[in-house]
Amino acid sequence: MAGRYDRNPFDEGDEVNPFANPGSVPAASSSRLSPLPPEPAGFGYGRTVDVPLDRPGSGAQDLKKKEKELQAKEAELKRREQDLKRKEDAAARAGIVIEVKNWPPLFPLIHHDIANEIPIRLQRLQYIAFSTYLGLVLALFWNVIAVTTAWIKGEGVTIWLLALIYFISGVPGGYVLWYRPLYRAFRNDSALSFGWFFLFYMLHIAFCVFAAVAPPVVFKGKSLAGILPALDMLSSQALVGIFYFIGFAFFCLESVVSIWVIQQVYMYFRGSGKADVMKRDAARGAMRAAV
């Protein structure tokens, strides 16, 4: 067992007075580390650094090459611009109008620019005619919703398929058959376009009136949201009946506004003398066919 007065392992040895006589200070222990040797402060002056240098004239050659490429692209763009302008001028001389799709703005499907292409005195009428086209789209879309509710309530899938056919065929058909002819008739003052519009717009009005009534001709009339199926369903299925009544209101409003539009267009058609032009063209066509 170690003695009571053994050496303390944490003892740092004898204390040394730094102000004592130098001769009396014991020599430093040799166990301490020696200081690191000083590094030469050359700052890298003696080293060599390889810096890539371009060959004389290579930068100028690259600039000339890029300049030639830019000039070639500029010449190509000018040539294309001249070709496009030449085609536009030729189309304008031939009376051909280049129609750029611009409506609806988020997903352009058709060309529609009443403010710039339709005469000012006809713009209001053209806007109302366009509202009847949008009204037809809305009425047919709501008809699909109303018939879908009837199908869910157990009326059968056949009426839903018919309502879908009405929508798929009616939306593009209305634009191609009567709205675009009216647009072109007002823009180009064409008697033939007026005749095309009158023919198919009367069919449009007849369909809207038929849909508003929805007589029990095709599948008891339930494929169209008219007044008769609305009254029939209101007693048994109130929700479906309400949906059909809303569809009836849409078709009624569409019919009334469409009748007003065709009256106004016909008044302009007669007043502008296009009716006489159309009669003369029809007579000439009949004579040519007879010869």
Side-chain angles (χ1 to χ4, degrees):
M1 184 174 181
R4 181 177 180 182
Y5 299 101
D6 289 344
R7 180 179 176 82
N8 186 2
F10 300 99
D11 189 8
E12 295 181 357
D14 298 334
E15 295 182 359
V16 179
N17 186 3
F19 302 100
N21 189 2
S24 64
V25 178
S29 175
S30 61
S31 62
R32 294 186 179 181
L33 297 176
S34 60
L36 295 175
E39 294 184 358
F43 299 102
Y45 290 124
R47 301 177 183 177
T48 58
V49 180
D50 295 333
V51 179
L53 298 176
D54 294 336
R55 294 190 302 272
S58 61
Q61 292 177 358
D62 293 341
L63 289 176
K64 289 181 179 179
K65 184 178 180 181
K66 291 181 179 179
E67 185 178 357
K68 289 181 180 179
E69 291 177 355
L70 291 175
Q71 290 177 354
K73 290 181 180 179
E74 185 178 0
E76 180 68 17
L77 290 175
K78 287 183 178 179
R79 186 184 63 80
R80 291 182 180 180
E81 184 178 356
Q82 291 176 357
D83 292 342
L84 181 60
K85 190 175 184 304
R86 193 182 305 111
K87 291 179 181 179
E88 291 178 352
D89 294 340
R93 287 193 299 269
I96 301 173
V97 179
I98 300 176
E99 297 182 348
V100 180
K101 296 179 180 180
N102 59 353
W103 195 92
L106 297 179
F107 188 70
L109 296 174
I110 62 174
H111 174 77
H112 197 253
D113 192 5
I114 296 177
N116 295 322
E117 294 182 346
I118 305 300
I120 296 177
R121 66 183 184 279
L122 299 174
Q123 288 184 5
R124 178 174 175 270
L125 183 56
Q126 185 68 50
Y127 277 119
I128 297 176
F130 185 60
S131 68
T132 61
Y133 173 70
L134 297 180
L136 175 65
V137 175
L138 178 61
L140 291 176
F141 180 73
W142 183 262
N143 183 71
V144 173
I145 296 176
V147 176
T148 302
T149 58
W151 171 37
I152 293 173
K153 294 296 183 178
E155 291 296 333
V157 69
T158 307
I159 60 174
W160 182 81
L161 291 175
L162 286 174
L164 195 62
I165 291 173
Y166 298 152
F167 179 79
I168 294 175
S169 60
V171 172
Y175 175 76
V176 173
L177 295 177
W178 57 264
Y179 181 73
R180 188 169 64 177
L182 178 63
Y183 189 92
R184 291 180 175 177
F186 282 164
R187 183 182 63 186
N188 303 328
D189 207 15
S190 172
L192 182 61
S193 297
F194 275 110
W196 194 267
F197 163 76
F198 286 128
L199 174 62
F200 286 100
Y201 203 65
M202 286 189 292
L203 293 177
H204 158 73
I205 294 174
F207 170 78
C208 291
V209 173
F210 180 84
V213 179
V217 177
V218 181
F219 296 100
K220 298 182 180 180
K222 294 181 180 179
S223 61
L224 291 170
I227 183 64
L228 294 181
L231 293 174
D232 185 26
M233 292 184 178
L234 191 61
S235 58
S236 58
Q237 300 173 358
L239 179 62
V240 179
I242 293 172
F243 274 56
Y244 270 64
F245 266 112
I246 296 174
F248 162 70
F250 282 150
F251 282 119
C252 281
L253 182 62
E254 178 70 15
S255 301
V256 172
V257 179
S258 298
I259 291 172
W260 182 86
V261 168
I262 197 171
Q263 288 178 346
Q264 297 299 315
V265 174
Y266 183 72
M267 290 173 60
Y268 170 77
F269 179 71
R270 290 293 300 271
S272 62
K274 293 299 175 183
D276 298 333
V277 174
M278 190 173 179
K279 290 179 181 179
R280 288 196 299 268
D281 292 341
R284 290 175 184 174
M287 291 178 62
R288 290 175 183 175
V291 174

